[in-house]
């Protein structure tokens, strides 16, 4: 009897010990999970905060350093060795010219390529090759574009160092962007529209002209905005193709002459001439343009999304 | 012995009242089937039982659900612990895109088991319990997405069993499966009720009749009738239940 | 009557034929437009190979790639580009080590936790980061980072590999964040539900289920970042000091990209050809990265 009781007690004690060990283990696990949870949360918040902080810092630093150096005179004069004053009118004009020339050439090419891919192409190999090529193009660094642009457009095609050569180089760089955005918007043109037009006996070209082309307007606009952003920010590809002259020209003369865009001018003023005030003034202009372009892109995107739904 | 009891449970999605004062007590170690036309609230109610509805932002809940004698909406309840004890199997088989082994070991690992031998043991036991061990034992390291739909669903059941739940909630677990896989899952459910309490939403009344011990009929967010399956189907108390089970609407 | 019908038919046929010819011409035009991308890639490849091979041949393959000295303007010019290759590799690796974790955690936060305005604002900020011209990064780097490094680490010149790494890490952040967010957003809700139903917390679910499920996309993001970092020229040129040293964290260094950019303006003869060869080496790296990127993208496409 006594022995039995003892045994039972023993069992109970064992049971108790086991439970205690289990509970200890459980609290350990809970603590571990809580630590994991907390550290992940901290890492995520810290990273996001850091990213946000970087953006705020970059914008405000550039604007604070740059805006005081901006003046009307700075914007509408050219640099002069006589008065020892620097104006960026030629750089602004060059930028405008190069943007216009690039878009003028790249739009028909990119839109045409996109139409070919979505409307005409039936051979899978060709489509694959084109898409692969477009992807490859978007991965090539701008310095390589600059080099090949210099060899091909400036030397081989005889364009010399000129805004046009620079624009041609930028055309190749921006081709994938225009292609992609146009393709995206063409995908949203309902198949039934095309079928409807075909059903009425329209030829392919007519369908493309009347149904498909109007449908890609939003893609073209988005593509233009993105391309303008890219052209504004480009420097390495333009250094050896468009050069870095600061002369004021008209559009047509300008295209055949060398000239620095705002970004190239920024580089030259900062790195070669140590004119940081000027560099920051240009940087602040570029920064404002970047913000504007981003806003425009988001707004256009939202507008088209709304229209679609 | 009832393991889950809901008292006047009401639920809103935004302004839309999806559950109207549902009260029900679900007996332990049995299969309870929830039936009713789509949109009647049966899935919503099921998801309330392990608080998966918490994930919906606009949801608002009133009333209580007692599990093991404690209100699951009480702030002191650890929702992760609740979900460990009240497991869930979904309508569409949803194995993780990882190996079969890692799928099963995911739960135990999450709850702190790191010992390899212990994990091996759990994996084998869970797969055996879900009647899929023989089919997958030679390819535990292979990606689970390579299994057939029926196998995936049994894998998901095994995954749910691996954390040693008390209750298994099944949300139309066979609706995406072929008849053969369906009957295997049904057999499995009947085996599992020896150890677990199973609550199953089904759109298929034959299934409810075949395997469940108790049936609850929902209509427009209301629990119309609840009782032993045999009784509910042979002598329904409510006219609406009768109309539904005789196929007058659905 | 019969005549009229025949005449109509013939007319109709001619009309059809004409339309068909026009359609074919238009098809041809579009085909050519489509092939311009392919032609551009071929053009770039061929030009780089033609321009890049002679110098490698003249200098010697191994001497060029593994030579530790670069003295292009010396009386006895030496063309060894190992310093540039290693600088590019180390610089990129450093940027990845620094940038990927920050970008990754930001992406998980934005994709899984941040909602509404917060997510929208941060995504706009990240896009903005992507849109800032590299010369602006370079400028800020020159005036903030370079003096900062000099003061903090007490080195004679802050224009160094470290400065370049930090700038590159910031510049690759947007690609990493955006591509990772896309991959994480595409993870099916069912996986996450299953994990929560097993009693995992949301954060455990994101890192143990969502992230592994999106791993190809996240890998693609990293590879994309590698491509961006290795190809960046201007910002790096402005902060790295541009001296052909073997890479070391606090020393002025020269990258593959900056090696091309810094001497191109005044180079000629073998020196210029050697610069083309450097571009060819860079291009080879980029192609390698493209192939890797494609591999991950395809995998991601299959998994989704």
């Amino acid at each position: 009897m006594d022995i039995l009781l003892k045994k039972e007690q023993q069992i109970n004690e064992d049971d108790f010990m086991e439970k205690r060990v289990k509970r200890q283990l459980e609290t350990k696990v809970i603590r571990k999970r809580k630590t994991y949870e907390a550290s992940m949360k901290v890492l995520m918040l810290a990273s996001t905060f850091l990213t946000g902080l970087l953006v705020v810092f970059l914008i405000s630093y550039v604007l604070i350093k740059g805006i005081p150096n901006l003046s009307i005179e700075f914007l509408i004069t050219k640099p002069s060795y006589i008065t020892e004053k620097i104006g960026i009118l030629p750089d602004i004009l060059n930028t405008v010219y190069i943007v216009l020339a690039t878009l003028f050439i790249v739009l028909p090419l990119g839109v045409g390529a996109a139409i070919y891919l979505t409307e005409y192409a039936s051979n899978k190999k060709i489509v694959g090759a084109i898409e692969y090529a477009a992807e490859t193009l978007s991965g090539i660094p701008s310095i390589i574009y600059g080099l090949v642009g210099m060899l091909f457009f400036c030397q081989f095609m005889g364009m010399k160092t000129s805004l046009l050569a620079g624009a041609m180089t930028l055309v190749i760089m921006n081709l994938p962007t225009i292609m992609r955005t146009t393709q995206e918007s063409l995908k949203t043109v309902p198949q039934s529209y095309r079928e409807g037009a075909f059903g009425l006996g329209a030829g392919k070209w007519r369908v493309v002209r009347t149904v498909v082309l109007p449908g890609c307007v939003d893609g073209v606009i988005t593509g233009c905005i993105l391309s303008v952003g890219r052209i504004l920010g480009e420097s390495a590809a333009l250094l050896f193709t468009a050069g870095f002259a600061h002369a004021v020209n008209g559009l047509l003369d300008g295209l055949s002459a060398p000239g620095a865009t705002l970004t190239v001018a920024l580089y030259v003023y900062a790195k070669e001439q140590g004119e940081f005030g000027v560099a920051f003034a240009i940087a602040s202009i570029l920064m404002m343009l970047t913000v504007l372009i981003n806003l425009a892109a988001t707004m256009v995107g939202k507008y088209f999304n709304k229209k679609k739904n | 012995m009832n393991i889950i009891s809901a008292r006047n449970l009401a639920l809103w999605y935004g302004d839309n009242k999806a559950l109207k004062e549902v009260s029900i007590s679900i007996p332990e170690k049995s299969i309870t089937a929830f039936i009713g036309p789509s949109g009647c609230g049966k899935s919503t109610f099921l998801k309330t039982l392990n608080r998966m509805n918490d994930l919906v932002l606009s949801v608002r809940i009133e009333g209580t659900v007692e599990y093991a004698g404690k209100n699951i909406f009480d702030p002191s309840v650890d929702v992760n612990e609740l979900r460990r004890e009240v497991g869930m199997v979904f309508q569409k088989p949803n194995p993780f895109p990882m190996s079969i082994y890692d799928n099963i070991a995911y739960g135990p690992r999450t709850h702190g088991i790191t010992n390899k031998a212990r994990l091996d043991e759990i994996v084998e036991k869970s797969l055996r319990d879900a009647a899929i061990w023989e089919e997958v034992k030679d390819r535990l390291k292979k990606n689970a997405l390579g299994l057939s739909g029926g196998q995936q669903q049994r894998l998901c059941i095994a995954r749910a069993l691996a954390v040693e739940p008390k209750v298994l909630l099944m949300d139309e677990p066979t609706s995406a499966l072929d008849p053969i896989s369906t009957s295997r899952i049904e057999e499995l459910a009947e085996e599992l009720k020896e150890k677990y309490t199973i609550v199953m939403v089904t759109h298929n009344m034959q299934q409810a009749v075949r395997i469940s011990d108790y049936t609850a009929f929902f209509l427009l967010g209301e629990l119309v009738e609840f009782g032993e399956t045999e009784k509910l189907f042979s002598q329904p108390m409510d006219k609406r239940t009768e109309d539904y089970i005789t196929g007058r609407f659905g | 009557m019969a005549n009229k019908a025949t005449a109509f038919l013939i007319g109709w046929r001619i009309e059809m034929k004409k339309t068909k010819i026009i359609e074919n011409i238009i098809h041809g035009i579009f085909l050519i437009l489509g092939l311009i991308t392919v032609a551009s890639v071929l053009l770039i490849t061929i030009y780089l190979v033609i321009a890049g091979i002679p110098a490698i041949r003249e200098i010697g393959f191994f001497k060029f790639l593994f030579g530790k000295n670069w003295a292009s303007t010396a009386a006895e010019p030496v063309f060894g580009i190992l310093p540039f290759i290693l600088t590019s590799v180390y610089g990129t690796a450093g940027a990845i080590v620094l940038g990927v974790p920050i970008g990754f955690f930001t992406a998980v936060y934005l994709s899984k936790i941040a909602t509404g305005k917060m997510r929208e604002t941060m995504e706009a900020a990240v896009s903005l980061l992507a849109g800032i011209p590299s010369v602006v990064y370079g400028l800020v780097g020159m005036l903030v980072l370079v003096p900062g490094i000099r003061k903090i680490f007490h080195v004679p010149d802050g224009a160094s590999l470290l400065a370049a790494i930090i700038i590159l890490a910031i510049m690759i952040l947007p690609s990493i964040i955006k591509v990772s967010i896309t991959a994480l957003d595409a993870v099916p809700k069912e996986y996450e539900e299953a994990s929560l139903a097993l009693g995992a917390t949301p954060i455990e679910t994101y890192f143990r289920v969502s992230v592994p499920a999106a791993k190809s996309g996240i890998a693609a993001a990293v590879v994309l970042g590698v491509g961006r970092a290795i190809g960046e020229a201007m910002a790096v040129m402005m902060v790295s000091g541009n001296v052909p040293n073997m890479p070391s964290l606090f020393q002025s260094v020269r990258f593959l990209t900056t090696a091309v950019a810094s001497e191109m303006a005044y180079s000629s003869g073998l020196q210029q050809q050697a610069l083309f060869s450097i571009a060819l080496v860079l291009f080879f790296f980029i192609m390698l990265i493209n192939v890797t990127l494609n591999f991950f993208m395809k995998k991601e496409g299959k998994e989704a």
Side-chain angles (χ1 to χ4, degrees), chain A residues 159-171:
Chain A
M159 292 181 192
K160 304 239 173 53
T161 306
S162 64
L163 285 183
L164 185 63
M168 290 305 294
T169 312
L170 291 176
V171 164

Side-chain angles (χ1 to χ4, degrees), chain C residues 116-134:
Chain C
K117 270 270 168 291
M118 168 72 179
R119 178 170 174 167
E120 214 171 285
T121 316
M122 274 308 291
E123 276 188 308
V126 171
S127 299
L128 201 60
L129 210 53
I132 297 175
S134 46

Side-chain angles (χ1 to χ4, degrees), chain B residues 80 83 94-96 106 111 159, chain C residues 190-191 195-199 201:
Chain B
N80 306 309
R83 288 183 188 147
N94 56 355
F96 301 130
Y106 178 85
H111 295 284
R159 183 177 63 188
Chain C
E190 288 87 23
Y191 294 163
S195 166
L196 293 169
L198 288 167
T201 65

Side-chain angles (χ1 to χ4, degrees), chain A residues 33 36-38 40-41 43-52 54-55 57-59 61-62 65 108-109 111-117 120-122 126 129-145 147-148 150-153 155-156 172 175-176 179 202-206 208 229 232-236 239-240 244 262-264 266-267 270-271 276 279-280 282-283 286-287 290-292 294 298 302, chain C residues 19 22-23 26-27 30-41 43-45 47-48 51 101-110 113 118 120 122 124-137 139-140 142-144 170 173 177 199-204 206-208 227-228 230-234 237-239 241-242 257-258 260-262 264-265 272 275-276 279-280 282-284 286-287 290-291 294 297:
Chain A
R33 284 179 76 180
Y36 177 83
E37 184 111 294
M40 285 304 167
K41 219 178 234 166
L43 282 171
M44 281 193 290
L45 284 173
S47 300
T48 311
F49 181 71
L50 190 63
T51 309
L54 265 171
V55 180
F57 167 75
L58 277 167
I59 296 176
Y61 183 78
V62 167
K65 290 273 252 183
L109 299 184
V111 172
I115 288 181
Y116 176 75
L117 282 177
Y120 282 93
S122 46
I126 298 184
I130 293 173
E131 279 179 348
Y132 190 81
E135 264 169 49
T136 310
L137 280 185
S138 42
I140 293 176
S142 37
I143 184 85
I144 287 191
Y145 279 107
L147 209 62
V148 175
M150 178 185 93
L151 289 171
F152 186 73
F153 295 117
Q155 295 175 5
F156 182 77
I172 304 182
L175 200 53
M179 248 175 83
K204 182 123 210 177
W205 171 229
R206 213 182 134 67
V208 167
L232 278 181
E234 189 48 58
S235 43
L239 222 44
F240 314 122
F244 23 99
L262 283 169
T263 26
V264 174
L266 190 167
Y267 172 75
K271 191 80 176 45
F276 292 118
F280 269 110
I282 300 177
L286 287 172
M287 196 60 108
T290 312
V291 173
L292 275 180
N294 267 284
T298 347
K302 265 194 194 151
Chain C
T19 328
I22 294 175
E23 286 287 341
I26 290 171
H27 187 135
F30 277 118
L31 173 64
I32 291 171
L33 291 178
L35 287 176
I36 286 180
T37 47
V38 182
S40 305
V41 171
L43 180 98
I44 292 170
T45 315
Y47 258 90
L48 280 177
I102 297 175
F104 167 75
F105 282 110
T106 306
V108 177
Y109 183 77
L110 293 184
I113 297 177
M118 168 72 179
E120 214 171 285
M122 274 308 291
V126 171
S127 299
L128 201 60
L129 210 53
I132 297 175
S134 46
V135 286
V136 174
Y137 280 108
L139 180 64
V140 176
M142 272 172 92
L143 285 144
V144 177
I170 298 173
L173 265 184
I177 295 176
T201 65
I203 287 183
E204 284 167 343
Y206 303 144
F207 284 97
R208 295 198 174 143
R228 284 280 136 79
I230 211 165
E232 177 53 42
M234 303 308 276
M237 183 125 105
M238 292 165 89
V239 300
N242 209 14
T257 47
T258 53
V260 178
S262 58
M264 190 50 84
Q272 193 177 40
L275 298 182
F276 293 140
L280 182 61
L282 176 64
F283 188 63
F284 176 76
I286 291 290
M287 285 321 224
N290 266 340
V291 171
N294 248 301
M297 289 290 208

Side-chain angles (χ1 to χ4, degrees), chain A residues 200-254:
Chain A
L200 291 171
K204 182 123 210 177
W205 171 229
R206 213 182 134 67
V207 174
V208 167
R209 225 173 12 159
T210 55
V211 177
V212 174
L213 268 181
C216 67
V217 172
D218 49 347
V220 171
I221 293 177
T222 316
C224 279
I225 296 173
L226 294 180
S227 295
V228 170
R230 194 145 178 222
I231 298 169
L232 278 181
E234 189 48 58
S235 43
L238 292 175
L239 222 44
F240 314 122
T241 53
F244 23 99
H246 302 293
V248 173
N249 288 308
L251 174 61
L252 290 178
D253 298 335

Side-chain angles (χ1 to χ4, degrees), chain C:
Chain C
M1 189 64 185
N3 268 347
K4 243 188 188 169
T6 332
F8 173 76
L9 264 179
I10 291 171
W12 186 66
R13 259 190 216 144
I14 292 173
E15 196 60 33
M16 280 300 285
K17 221 177 203 173
K18 235 163 111 192
T19 328
K20 203 155 184 220
I21 292 172
I22 294 175
E23 286 287 341
N24 280 340
I25 292 174
I26 290 171
H27 187 135
I29 292 174
F30 277 118
L31 173 64
I32 291 171
L33 291 178
L35 287 176
I36 286 180
T37 47
V38 182
S40 305
V41 171
L42 288 179
L43 180 98
I44 292 170
T45 315
I46 291 170
Y47 258 90
L48 280 177
V49 170
I50 291 178
I53 293 287
I56 296 183
R57 227 191 235 153
E58 197 166 329
I59 299 159
F61 184 76
F62 286 101
K63 231 170 137 187
F64 180 68
L65 284 185
F66 301 110
K68 287 186 185 163
N69 282 314
W70 174 269
S72 56
T73 48
E76 286 268 324
V78 190
F79 301 99
I81 64 163
L82 191 64
F84 308 153
I85 295 180
L86 287 183
T87 302
S88 277
V89 171
Y90 290 177
T92 304
I96 291 295
V97 168
L98 213 59
V100 166
I102 297 175
F104 167 75
F105 282 110
T106 306
V108 177
Y109 183 77
L110 293 184
S111 167
K112 297 298 171 191
I113 297 177
T115 48
K117 270 270 168 291
M118 168 72 179
R119 178 170 174 167
E120 214 171 285
T121 316
M122 274 308 291
E123 276 188 308
V126 171
S127 299
L128 201 60
L129 210 53
I132 297 175
S134 46
V135 286
V136 174
Y137 280 108
L139 180 64
V140 176
M142 272 172 92
L143 285 144
V144 177
L145 214 49
V146 171
I149 288 175
R150 195 184 56 221
K151 273 181 209 138
I152 293 170
F153 297 100
H154 302 290
V155 283
D157 187 0
S160 58
L161 181 59
L162 180 64
I165 285 177
I166 295 173
I167 283 285
L168 286 176
I170 298 173
M171 291 180 78
I172 63 173
L173 265 184
S175 343
I176 290 172
I177 295 176
K178 278 186 174 175
V179 179
S180 304
I181 285 185
T182 313
L184 285 166
D185 280 351
V187 171
K189 277 268 163 292
E190 288 87 23
Y191 294 163
E192 288 161 12
E193 277 185 347
S195 166
L196 293 169
L198 288 167
T201 65
I203 287 183
E204 284 167 343
T205 301
Y206 303 144
F207 284 97
R208 295 198 174 143
V209 173
S210 314
V211 167
K215 63 176 183 293
S216 298
I218 295 171
V222 174
V223 179
L224 197 68
V226 170
R228 284 280 136 79
I230 211 165
E232 177 53 42
M234 303 308 276
V236 160
M237 183 125 105
M238 292 165 89
V239 300
S240 67
N242 209 14
V243 183
N245 288 323
M246 282 302 250
S248 151
L249 212 48
F250 293 108
Q251 210 153 37
S252 290
V253 287
R254 197 182 277 187
F255 289 69
L256 284 169
T257 47
T258 53
V260 178
S262 58
E263 288 184 22
M264 190 50 84
Y266 56 81
S267 65
S268 62
L270 183 61
Q271 185 196 356
Q272 193 177 40
Q273 283 178 331
L275 298 182
F276 293 140
S277 308
I278 296 176
L280 182 61
V281 173
L282 176 64
F283 188 63
F284 176 76
F285 274 112
I286 291 290
M287 285 321 224
L288 217 64
I289 289 164
N290 266 340
V291 171
T292 327
L293 185 65
N294 248 301
F295 169 77
F296 284 120
M297 289 290 208
K298 270 211 186 109
K299 226 171 135 189
E300 168 79 4
K302 247 185 231 153
E303 279 166 12

Side-chain angles (χ1 to χ4, degrees), chain B residues 43-147:
Chain B
S43 278
T44 303
F45 182 61
L46 188 81
K47 284 190 178 147
T48 312
L49 299 182
N50 69 344
R51 289 183 56 184
M52 286 298 279
N53 277 334
D54 286 19
L55 305 174
V56 184
L57 280 177
S58 60
V59 89
R60 189 160 63 81
I61 295 171
E62 277 175 17
T64 61
V65 173
E66 283 196 356
Y67 164 74
K70 198 165 186 197
N71 182 9
I72 63 169
F73 300 115
D74 193 282
S76 71
V77 165
D78 178 356
V79 66
N80 306 309
E81 192 52 30
L82 171 75
R83 288 183 188 147
R84 192 185 70 70
E85 292 198 16
V86 183
M88 188 153 205
V89 176
F90 297 81
Q91 184 170 1
K92 217 177 113 218
N94 56 355
F96 301 130
M98 354 169 150
S99 74
I100 293 170
Y101 185 97
D102 288 340
N103 259 282
I104 308 296
Y106 178 85
R109 276 179 183 146
T110 301
H111 295 284
I113 296 172
T114 45
N115 182 313
K116 177 83 174 64
R118 179 88 185 95
L119 280 175
D120 286 350
E121 199 181 304
I122 292 174
V123 168
E124 179 171 346
K125 186 172 176 303
S126 312
L127 287 168
R128 275 190 197 284
D129 283 353
I132 191 180
W133 171 251
E134 290 301 324
E135 290 157 70
V136 299
K137 66 178 179 198
D138 298 323
R139 44 173 173 156
L140 292 176
K141 296 281 161 215
K142 291 264 166 63
N143 196 310
L145 298 180
L147 298 173

Side-chain angles (χ1 to χ4, degrees), chain B residues 234-246:
Chain B
S234 56
Q235 313 160 314
M237 313 259 278
D238 195 294
K239 179 82 173 60
R240 288 168 292 175
T241 316
E242 189 180 342
D243 286 349
Y244 182 67
I245 61 178
T246 51

